[in-house]
Amino acid sequence: MKKILITILLIILINPLIAKKIIPFPELLKPETIIIDENQIYITEGTSISIYSLKDFKFKKKFGKEGSGPQEFKLPQSGLLTIDVQTNDIIVNSLAKISYFSKDGKFKKETKNSRGIIMMLQTLGNGFAGIGISWDNKMMYRSLNLYDSNLNKSKEIFKMKHDFQIGKGTRVLPTPYPFVSYNNKLYITWENDLIIKVYNNKGEKLFSIKQNYDKLNVKKEHKKRITHWYKTDKRTAQYFEFLKPLIFPAYFPAIRDMSINENKIYILTYKQKENQSEFYILNLKGKFIKKRFLPLIEKNALEMYPYTINKGKLYQLVDNEDKEEWELLITKIK
């Protein structure tokens, strides 16, 4: 972590336009996701949600806890509480239900879900898009589905084999599965190449976006670092023998993550240079705008520290171990 902080300071000193602000967030203990709307920052930690002002970064409210009550949550299989703030509500997706809160964190209602696990739920039209898990002939699958407002599955858009299969091992660095609901359309990256498929809110395909890119080899040092993560991370260490063998591809997937904001698509790749990560920036039709390397910091071999993009700025929460507090790094995307 000290090396990371030194790198950040060097970046600021060399180019003050890159890192504009470092804001302390002393209230946070272990943030997992960050999302921003017009006025507020929302941060999830386990089963709680913290709200901050985007204008002055002041802490406003924290709500949510472990449990089954109307303002309580249980974590899904992914281990992450996910929220959607595209509407006038904060919509919280937890195990077996979705909960609705006002933007100031007041409880409004909840909808129970008894039809299986739904991950990464996002509003789309009058319903939602999300990822479901299913079994067929002893094989586990993940699928991207559309759901109505009561969480009834209305359409399956994509279906592929899950990264883990019992007795057959775990595919490491699998086909990416980010998707984004934006302007009532669904942008999906479930391909190994730099391809984005765009659908309307009825699940009808509109068009595809494709960009050329340079393939990045998965080298021995990558395999060693990722294997070490599986052996030592508390989420996987006790299951490591069960997860074996780890199956590596020859190349990294073209897409690591995707964000959309202000009619721009930001594609994060696995390519890095001088402790910075590569982004492709496209318009909503897929026209290439520019490519940028930004100081996005890795948490470990497979994960980034929580980040989001809003109004031409990259926001990332990073653990400052020396100060024993979390900080929000704000980078202007030039």
Side-chain angles (χ1 to χ4, degrees):
M1 179 54 67
K2 288 183 179 180
K3 290 183 179 179
I4 291 173
L5 294 174
I6 290 171
T7 300
I8 294 169
L9 290 172
L10 286 173
I11 289 170
I12 296 170
L13 291 171
I14 293 170
N15 187 350
L17 294 178
I18 293 180
K20 295 284 286 188
K21 292 181 181 178
I22 300 178
I23 311 295
F25 275 33
E27 301 84 5
L28 300 178
L29 297 176
K30 193 177 179 182
E32 293 169 327
T33 67
I34 178 173
I35 189 169
I36 296 175
D37 65 11
E38 290 296 318
N39 301 304
Q40 298 186 141
I41 301 171
Y42 309 86
I43 298 169
T44 68
E45 293 183 276
T47 54
S48 68
I49 298 162
S50 296
I51 303 175
Y52 291 81
S53 167
L54 180 59
K55 182 179 180 180
D56 56 17
F57 307 104
K58 289 184 178 179
F59 174 75
K60 298 176 73 173
K61 184 173 183 177
K62 184 175 183 178
F63 66 95
K65 62 180 180 178
E66 176 75 22
S68 303
Q71 300 186 56
E72 300 173 339
F73 314 113
K74 289 185 178 295
L75 294 178
Q77 185 186 45
S78 65
L80 291 177
L81 198 68
T82 55
I83 63 174
D84 188 299
V85 297
Q86 295 184 73
T87 66
N88 292 326
D89 295 322
I90 304 171
I91 303 176
V92 184
N93 179 34
S94 59
L95 185 63
K97 68 179 180 180
I98 55 173
S99 308
Y100 295 79
F101 294 80
S102 65
K103 285 296 178 74
D104 58 1
K106 294 180 180 178
F107 176 74
K108 298 174 73 173
K109 65 177 183 177
E110 66 181 22
T111 301
K112 298 288 187 179
N113 168 32
S114 59
R115 290 164 289 277
I117 296 169
I118 305 175
M119 298 181 293
M120 299 172 63
L121 199 71
Q122 298 178 40
T123 55
L124 180 67
N126 295 320
F128 302 93
I131 296 176
I133 303 295
S134 61
W135 290 84
D136 187 9
N137 293 325
K138 297 182 179 180
M139 190 74 69
M140 186 159 56
Y141 291 86
R142 57 176 164 89
S143 57
L144 179 58
N145 307 313
L146 300 186
Y147 300 88
D148 65 19
S149 59
N150 293 314
L151 299 179
N152 296 303
K153 180 179 171 181
S154 58
K155 187 171 185 177
E156 181 180 275
I157 297 180
F158 274 96
K159 183 177 181 178
M160 63 176 61
K161 290 180 181 178
H162 197 278
D163 314 330
F164 168 72
Q165 301 293 335
I166 295 176
K168 297 182 179 179
T170 304
R171 289 187 300 124
V172 178
L173 301 169
T175 302
Y177 50 93
F179 67 95
V180 175
S181 171
Y182 185 80
N183 284 353
N184 217 20
K185 294 183 178 64
L186 199 57
Y187 294 76
I188 306 168
T189 67
W190 289 33
E191 304 282 348
N192 279 321
D193 292 321
L194 210 160
I195 296 173
I196 304 168
K197 294 181 178 179
V198 184
Y199 289 74
N200 63 20
N201 60 17
K202 296 179 180 179
E204 300 166 338
K205 185 179 176 182
L206 300 176
F207 58 93
S208 292
I209 295 168
K210 186 173 183 179
Q211 284 287 324
N212 294 323
Y213 71 100
D214 296 325
K215 288 187 176 182
L216 186 63
N217 290 314
V218 177
K219 299 179 180 179
K220 287 183 179 180
E221 55 263 34
H222 298 134
K223 295 179 182 179
K224 183 177 179 180
R225 187 168 176 240
I226 292 169
T227 300
H228 177 75
W229 180 85
Y230 272 94
K231 285 182 177 180
T232 58
D233 189 271
K234 67 178 183 179
R235 291 165 291 179
T236 56
Q238 61 182 320
Y239 306 111
F240 182 68
E241 293 300 319
F242 184 63
L243 295 171
K244 291 168 50 179
L246 300 184
I247 304 165
F248 289 87
Y251 301 97
F252 284 92
I255 297 173
R256 187 169 189 174
D257 198 9
M258 174 175 64
S259 306
I260 303 180
N261 186 258
E262 289 197 315
N263 297 325
K264 292 186 179 69
I265 303 173
Y266 296 86
I267 297 295
L268 172 64
T269 78
Y270 282 89
K271 190 173 182 179
Q272 295 187 321
K273 181 176 68 175
E274 298 176 354
N275 295 310
Q276 298 189 43
S277 298
E278 180 185 57
F279 281 85
Y280 280 75
I281 304 175
L282 318 172
N283 69 16
L284 293 181
K285 290 294 184 180
K287 183 179 179 180
F288 178 82
I289 299 175
K290 57 189 174 184
K291 185 166 61 175
R292 289 290 182 268
F293 282 87
L294 300 173
L296 189 64
I297 300 168
E298 286 189 317
K299 182 179 180 181
N300 53 52
L302 291 175
E303 300 170 306
M304 294 291 183
Y305 279 105
Y307 82 95
T308 190
I309 292 173
N310 185 66
K311 294 185 177 180
K313 295 178 181 178
L314 172 67
Y315 295 78
Q316 187 177 31
L317 290 165
V318 176
D319 184 12
N320 186 329
E321 294 178 351
D322 291 338
K323 293 184 178 180
E324 296 185 344
E325 68 180 13
W326 287 80
E327 295 175 333
L328 181 65
L329 310 184
I330 306 174
T331 303
K332 192 170 183 179
I333 303 172
K334 285 291 188 177

